[in-house]
């Protein structure tokens, strides 16, 4: 039974590892210009339609941005250049991704800090609970136990 | 006349709420517990007043009474009856009337169910808290958000609701379900406040409100998913969740509420986490009010149309009051809330609940931060920035993966502590299930570490839940599916199905845009579509252009685009060829130019997306199963719980 269990776990481990490796290998990022343009468009917000990105929106300005992204990708501009160009053209809130510098970076940092703090508190709590369990027996406890032992 | 009736109804409801509140305050202050029941009379007055107001509004809507400003600006003669009926919750004032109505249903039901315990101070304080909330909402309806304002010169026809809100029957159900969830959390909140005030912090009151919490949670879950489904079927962009502030506003209380229904089990079982659980309940209710503030004050831009209004400061004030009272009460009772007991091992049932709660809290924090961050930055230095889907996707993916892991592990762990051997033996089946699902996913083409890991963990969760259900059913027959743990496991299966649909439709969808003439074909991801013909018809005053599209193997579908005379932009109505494998989502991009039959069709292929709705259904069924008590145990246990004054 024991052995059968061990072999099964090994098998599961192999399958999971193989699947994960395959998933990473297969995920080769944007292969074509079209895929790259698609990824950029999905992070550009339509300036006039409250939160929809330019892929989702049927507004004329969204269509304009879509074709501008296509053009810029075809020209061989980098992702960063295209984003900067769009921000100059339509305002910085066209980017669905908040900036990674200045005050805006806080939105990325705060959750990580909160996560670290939460885990830290949890470790602390477990430490306290564990130490709480190892209570030194008082003299009375020892006396009671001894009395019981002698009785038996 | 109907306006007068409605105003009268709201007035009576307000009088009832104030009367009930006053009578409870007087009775509690004079320690005359025999007088608590006087509040029941006033609650009955309040409920009747609210019913009169709702009926008056429905009469006005169904009879096209355009002398009412609300009807004139939100309804038209040509609106179909179902949507006339649903216009009650189509705009700001009416939606608050619905809020008041649902609140009345809950307060009425709580009063009925606890009428024998009305002399109990805890119940009296809970009713008092609920009545404070009622006074606030009926106060809004009586003044700043009066739905029964009249026009001196009524128009011949009204403006009508945004056409998006009147072309799908889901619009008639989704808001109601959502409100039953939102408003339902008033009940556990009130009991939490009552427990803090009376100092009865034991577990009794938790048991007596368990069913109410579950009903609120289940309604909110189903309500949110129905909203997602509506968005998918109607809005035409092929998505169902946009991390829009209004969606986030409904999601936040769901997150804290979900954390609560899990961590409360630790309290019932081990007496621990009292402060935490109370805080979660208080936060859940505060977040519903905060969400209402965000969406009804105009501070945030959103596709959901609740504009304007002077309600902002009032709602913010109410939110602040809730926060101050809650924090003060928890601080005041802090010492008594400290529980004995300890969690011995992280590898235990309570350890996994703790992990679950930490993750849910973190999840809620990210959603809240992302929602209000643009507001904060703009008020600090005037910069305008956006926090959109890519942010939420990136931050929430690791938390979601960790949650799935905790969700699968929890049912396998025992209380106190679990040895590695026991875990290795119990987890074998579920882990094999997860590995198999993962393997199959990769073989049929899934890629990317996050998605594949998520799908595998979904399989693990299903395995663990089925294992639990199989063991429970072996002991208790079909009743193994009921009760909190049975129903909970069914809900876990639903969440996994939902996760499959969510992950694969986000990570593996494909898209194509085609310019087609009749007879032309295009293909995306192995699906061939053929444009058959264009029809251009008038539906009453509205011009409807339809493109008949043949989806190979699925039949004919006709996405449409409609020009409403009362609404500027034409509205595109998608058509979806659904299957359990994938959806072919078709939408017409624009009305073709005059004399041309060239259409622009957007085609989205979304694998497994239908499983999101199936998952939602399973979650709903799970909640119902959890509410069904094991036979004969409920009432006695509840009475024990409430009448044990010693607690």
């Amino acid at each position: 039974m024991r052995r059968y269990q061990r072999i099964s776990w090994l098998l599961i481990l192999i399958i999971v590892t193989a699947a994960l490796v395959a998933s990473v290998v297969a995920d080769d990022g944007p292969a074509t210009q079209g895929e790259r343009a698609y990824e950029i468009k999905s992070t550009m917000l339509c300036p006039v339609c409250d939160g929809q990105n330019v892929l989702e929106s049927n507004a004329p300005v969204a269509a304009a941005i879509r074709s501008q992204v296509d053009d810029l990708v075809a020209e061989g501009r980098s992702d960063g250049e295209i984003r900067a160009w769009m921000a100059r053209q339509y305002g910085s809130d066209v980017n669905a991704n908040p900036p990674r510098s200045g005050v805006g970076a806080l939105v990325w940092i705060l959750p990580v800090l909160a996560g670290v703090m939460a885990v830290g508190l949890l470790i602390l709590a477990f430490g306290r609970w564990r130490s709480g369990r190892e209570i030194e027996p008082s003299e009375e406890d020892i006396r009671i136990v001894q009395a019981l032992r002698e009785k038996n | 006349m109907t306006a007068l009736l409605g105003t009268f109804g709201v007035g009576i409801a307000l009088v009832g709420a104030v009367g009930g509140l006053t009578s409870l305050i007087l009775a509690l202050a004079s320690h005359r517990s025999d007088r608590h029941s006087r509040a029941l009379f006033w609650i009955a007055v309040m409920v009747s007043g609210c019913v009169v107001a709702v009926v008056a509004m429905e009469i006005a809507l169904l009879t096209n009474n355009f002398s009412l400003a609300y009807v004139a600006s939100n309804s038209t003669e040509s609106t179909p009856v179902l949507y006339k009926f649903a216009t009650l919750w189509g705009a700001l004032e009416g939606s608050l009337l619905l809020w008041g109505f649902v609140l009345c249903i809950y307060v009425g039901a709580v009063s009925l169910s606890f009428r024998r315990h009305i002399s109990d101070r805890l119940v009296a304080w809970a009713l008092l808290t609920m009545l404070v909330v009622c006074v606030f909402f009926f106060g809004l309806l009586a003044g700043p958000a009066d739905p029964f304002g009249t026009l001196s010169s009524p128009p011949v026809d009204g403006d009508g609701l945004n056409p998006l809100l009147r072309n799908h029957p889901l619009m008639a159900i989704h808001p109601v379900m959502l409100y039953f969830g939102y408003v339902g959390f008033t009940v556990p909140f009130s009991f939490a406040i009552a427990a803090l005030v009376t100092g009865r912090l034991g577990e009794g009151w938790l048991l007596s409100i368990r069913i109410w919490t579950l009903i609120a949670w289940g309604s909110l879950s189903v309500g949110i998913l129905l909203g997602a489904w509506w968005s998918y079927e109607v809005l035409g962009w092929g998505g169902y969740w946009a991390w829009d502030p209004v969606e986030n506003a409904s999601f936040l209380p769901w997150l804290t509420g979900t954390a609560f229904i899990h961590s409360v089990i630790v309290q019932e079982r081990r007496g621990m986490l009292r402060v935490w659980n109370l805080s979660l309940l208080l936060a859940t209710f505060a977040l519903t009010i905060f969400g209402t503030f965000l969406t009804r004050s105009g501070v945030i831009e959103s596709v959901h149309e609740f504009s304007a209004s002077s309600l902002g400061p009032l709602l913010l004030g109410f939110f602040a009051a809730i926060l101050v009272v809650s924090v003060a009460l928890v601080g005041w009772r802090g010492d008594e809330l400290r529980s004995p007991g300890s969690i011995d091992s992280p590898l235990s049932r309570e350890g996994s609940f703790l992990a679950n709660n930490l993750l849910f809290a973190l999840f809620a924090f990210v959603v809240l931060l992302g929602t209000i961050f643009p507001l904060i930055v703009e008020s600090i230095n005037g910069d305008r920035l956006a926090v959109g889907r890519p942010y939420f996707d990136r931050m929430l993916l690791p938390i979601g993966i960790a949650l799935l892991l905790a969700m699968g592990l929890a049912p396998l762990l025992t209380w106190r502590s679990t040895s590695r051997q026991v875990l290795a033996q119990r987890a074998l089946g579920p882990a094999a299930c997860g590995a198999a699902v993962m393997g199959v996913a990769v073989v049929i083409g899934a890629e990317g570490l996050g998605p594949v890991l998520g799908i595998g963990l979904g399989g693990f969760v299903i395995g663990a839940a089925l294992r639990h259900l199989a063991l429970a059913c072996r002991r208790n027959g079909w009743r193994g599916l009921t009760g909190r743990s049975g129903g909970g496991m069914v809900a876990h299966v639903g969440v996994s199905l939902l996760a499959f649909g969510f992950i694969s439709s986000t990570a593996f969808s494909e898209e194509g845009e085609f310019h087609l003439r009749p007879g032309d074909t295009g293909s995306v991801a192995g699906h061939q579509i053929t444009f058959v013909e264009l029809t251009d018809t008038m539906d009453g005053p509205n011009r409807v252009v339809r493109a008949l599209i043949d989806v190979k193997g699925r039949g004919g579908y006709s996405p449409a685009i409609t020009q409403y005379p009362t609404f500027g932009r034409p509205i595109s109505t998608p058509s979806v060829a659904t299957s359990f494998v994938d959806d072919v989502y078709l939408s017409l991009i624009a009305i073709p130019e005059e004399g041309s039959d060239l259409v622009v069709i957007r085609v989205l292929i979304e694998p497994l997306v239908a499983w999101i709705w199936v998952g939602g259904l399973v979650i709903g069924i799970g909640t119902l199963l959890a509410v069904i008590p094991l036979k004969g145990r409920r009432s006695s246990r509840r009475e024990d719980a409430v009448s044990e004054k010693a607690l």
Side-chain angles (χ1 to χ4, degrees):
Chain A
M1 195 64 193
R2 229 15 195 318
R3 196 154 151 212
Y4 155 77
Q5 211 183 77
R6 197 160 288 171
I7 292 171
S8 311
W9 273 110
L10 197 68
L11 209 65
I12 290 171
L13 198 70
I14 292 170
I15 294 175
V16 169
T17 318
L20 288 179
V21 169
S23 76
V24 176
V25 173
D27 188 19
D28 46 5
T32 63
Q33 282 194 349
E35 281 180 35
R36 223 189 102 205
Y38 183 88
E39 281 190 9
I40 296 175
K41 287 175 205 165
S42 70
T43 63
M44 292 275 146
L45 293 177
C46 156
V48 298
C49 24
D50 304 338
Q52 283 185 323
N53 70 35
V54 296
L55 276 177
E56 297 154 2
S57 169
N58 297 335
V61 62
I65 294 180
R66 281 199 294 260
S67 72
Q68 280 160 353
V69 171
D70 285 336
D71 293 347
L72 291 169
V73 167
E75 281 176 28
R77 302 296 183 88
S78 76
D79 290 14
E81 281 173 344
I82 296 173
R83 281 182 221 288
W85 192 89
M86 289 294 167
R88 275 199 305 279
Q89 205 75 10
Y90 298 99
S92 55
D93 52 349
V94 76
N95 256 319
N97 257 321
R100 278 151 203 270
S101 58
V103 190
L106 278 179
V107 79
W108 297 99
I109 299 167
L110 287 177
V112 178
L113 273 182
V116 170
M117 254 171 60
V119 172
L121 280 178
L122 206 62
I123 292 173
L124 216 71
F126 272 112
R128 226 180 48 202
W129 281 323
R130 192 153 299 168
S131 65
R133 257 193 307 156
E134 291 155 13
I135 306 164
E136 291 291 316
S138 68
E139 282 180 22
E140 200 185 340
D141 295 335
I142 296 169
R143 218 175 35 244
I144 292 168
V145 173
Q146 262 176 357
L148 277 172
R149 278 201 180 136
E150 278 162 20
K151 212 171 162 185
N152 295 333
Chain B
M1 182 57 203
T2 31
L4 208 63
L5 190 67
T7 311
F8 173 73
V10 170
I12 292 292
L14 183 59
V15 168
V18 173
L21 186 60
T22 318
S23 71
L24 274 176
I25 290 174
L26 290 177
L28 282 165
S30 58
H31 292 272
R32 295 285 301 269
S33 59
D34 55 317
R35 291 194 179 165
H36 290 175
S37 54
R38 292 185 181 178
L40 292 179
F41 163 75
W42 291 107
I43 287 172
V45 169
M46 175 183 80
V47 175
S48 338
C50 189
V51 169
V52 168
V54 169
V55 169
M57 180 54 89
E58 286 298 358
I59 291 175
L61 284 167
L62 295 174
T63 58
N64 302 317
N65 185 343
F66 297 123
S67 65
L68 254 73
Y70 186 83
V71 181
S73 52
N74 297 305
S75 188
T76 59
E77 285 207 22
S78 61
T79 307
V81 174
L82 175 68
Y83 301 109
K84 276 183 186 161
F85 184 77
T87 301
L88 173 65
W89 47 88
L92 180 77
E93 294 85 0
S95 72
L96 286 176
L97 184 57
L98 177 68
W99 188 299
F101 182 59
V102 175
L103 192 56
C104 277
I105 294 177
Y106 274 112
V107 174
V110 168
S111 322
L112 277 181
S113 125
F114 286 94
R115 65 187 180 284
R116 292 207 189 87
H117 308 288
I118 190 80
S119 57
D120 189 328
R121 281 178 80 79
L122 183 92
V123 175
W125 273 102
L127 281 178
L128 186 148
T129 313
M130 280 181 243
L131 285 169
V132 170
V133 181
C134 293
V135 169
F136 176 75
F137 276 98
F138 287 118
L140 288 184
L141 287 168
D146 179 14
F148 294 101
T150 50
L151 297 172
S152 50
S153 52
V156 183
D157 197 359
D159 299 336
L161 220 51
N162 180 336
L164 286 174
L165 299 181
R166 50 176 149 116
N167 60 1
H168 201 285
L170 277 174
M171 211 51 223
I173 322 168
H174 146 67
V176 179
M177 282 306 274
L178 203 60
Y179 279 34
F180 266 95
Y182 252 4
V183 181
F185 280 112
T186 314
V187 178
F189 165 77
S190 304
F191 274 87
I193 293 281
L196 282 166
V197 171
T198 55
R200 302 244 304 271
L201 299 159
E203 290 68 50
W205 64 275
L206 276 178
L207 291 174
S208 52
I209 56 143
R210 173 197 280 166
I211 196 165
W212 301 92
T213 318
L214 277 174
I215 289 172
W217 181 85
S219 311
L220 188 59
S221 311
V222 173
I224 290 174
L225 280 166
L226 287 176
W229 196 14
W230 170 80
S231 159
Y232 180 76
E233 296 285 342
V234 169
L235 292 185
W237 55 279
Y240 37 82
W241 192 263
W243 297 108
D244 170 271
V246 176
E247 293 166 356
N248 294 352
S250 66
F251 196 36
L252 281 167
W254 185 87
L255 288 167
T256 49
T258 311
F260 173 77
I261 58 173
H262 289 92
S263 64
V264 72
I265 301 173
V266 179
Q267 183 173 346
E268 285 172 16
R269 187 86 183 212
R270 302 277 323 267
M272 302 181 64
L273 306 183
R274 291 180 191 176
V275 184
W276 176 249
N277 285 330
L278 279 169
S279 311
L280 281 176
L281 277 183
L282 303 175
T284 304
F285 182 70
L287 282 170
T288 64
I289 300 297
F290 185 65
T292 314
F293 158 70
L294 277 186
T295 53
R296 285 174 177 75
S297 61
V299 293
I300 269 181
E301 292 175 3
S302 153
V303 284
H304 293 70
E305 316 220 348
F306 275 124
S307 56
S309 84
S310 53
L311 295 184
L314 292 169
L315 285 163
L316 196 61
F318 190 50
F319 168 71
I322 292 166
L323 219 58
V324 168
V325 169
S326 302
V327 171
L329 279 175
V330 172
W332 177 47
R333 292 286 184 193
D335 284 346
E336 294 167 53
L337 282 168
R338 202 158 295 148
S339 48
S342 65
I343 293 185
D344 307 322
S345 156
L347 209 59
S348 64
R349 184 69 68 82
E350 52 269 55
S352 69
F353 280 131
L354 213 53
N356 146 313
N357 265 246
L358 215 59
L359 291 165
F360 269 114
L362 201 58
F363 205 117
F365 176 69
V366 173
V367 175
L368 182 64
L369 184 69
T371 311
I372 60 172
F373 194 71
L375 285 178
I376 299 175
V377 170
E378 199 175 348
S379 65
I380 291 176
N381 60 9
D383 280 356
R384 289 181 61 83
L385 56 82
V387 178
R389 180 138 17 114
Y391 169 79
F392 290 104
D393 284 351
R394 175 157 320 163
M395 297 305 265
L396 297 176
L397 180 76
I399 306 177
I401 298 256
L403 266 175
L404 279 174
L405 181 66
M407 220 173 130
L409 276 177
L412 304 172
L413 297 170
T414 51
W415 290 92
R416 296 267 174 190
S417 82
T418 313
S419 73
R420 293 232 168 83
Q421 287 81 1
V422 170
L423 184 61
Q425 182 243 325
R426 288 183 170 193
L428 187 60
C433 178
V437 170
M438 198 188 251
V440 170
V442 169
V443 169
I444 60 176
E447 55 185 48
L449 187 62
V452 170
L453 200 57
I455 288 172
L457 284 171
F460 176 56
V461 171
I462 290 187
L466 290 182
R467 175 185 175 279
H468 181 102
L469 288 173
L471 290 176
C473 287
R474 200 183 293 165
R475 279 197 303 273
N476 303 322
W478 71 271
R479 282 202 168 268
L481 297 172
T482 64
R484 190 169 49 195
S485 67
M489 284 305 118
V490 173
H492 273 202
V493 173
V495 173
S496 296
L497 296 178
L498 194 154
F500 290 149
F502 178 76
I503 293 170
S504 58
S505 64
T506 346
F508 311 129
S509 68
E510 290 190 53
E511 192 230 13
E513 201 169 290
F514 301 99
H515 298 249
L516 303 176
R517 288 185 194 286
D520 290 353
T521 61
S523 86
V524 194
H527 286 281
Q528 195 184 331
I529 61 149
T530 309
F531 173 34
V532 182
E533 60 169 352
L534 194 70
T535 55
D536 194 340
T537 52
M538 295 302 286
D539 173 22
N542 313 319
R543 179 184 171 202
V544 186
V545 178
R546 278 176 201 286
L548 178 61
I549 309 272
D550 181 64
V551 179
K552 201 175 179 187
R554 301 263 173 104
Y557 290 86
S558 23
I561 194 159
T562 310
Q563 181 71 59
Y564 293 84
T566 51
F567 197 74
R569 178 164 58 94
I571 300 291
S572 169
T573 309
S575 182
V576 192
T578 300
S579 82
F580 286 119
V581 178
D582 57 8
D583 278 16
V584 180
Y585 191 99
L586 304 160
S587 43
L588 259 178
I589 295 295
I591 290 186
E593 281 168 36
E594 216 54 57
S596 159
D597 52 3
L598 183 75
V599 295
V600 185
I601 309 268
R602 207 165 96 92
V603 186
L604 270 163
I605 310 296
E606 303 198 48
L608 304 185
V609 72
W611 290 95
I612 297 180
W613 327 128
V614 176
L617 182 68
V618 176
I619 292 174
I621 293 172
T623 314
L624 287 180
L625 288 170
V627 170
I628 299 176
L630 291 170
K631 210 174 179 179
R633 273 168 58 187
R634 190 187 104 208
S635 55
S636 62
R637 206 195 266 177
R638 188 172 64 195
E639 279 166 25
D640 291 345
V642 176
S643 53
E644 267 177 60
K645 293 229 168 179
L647 289 169

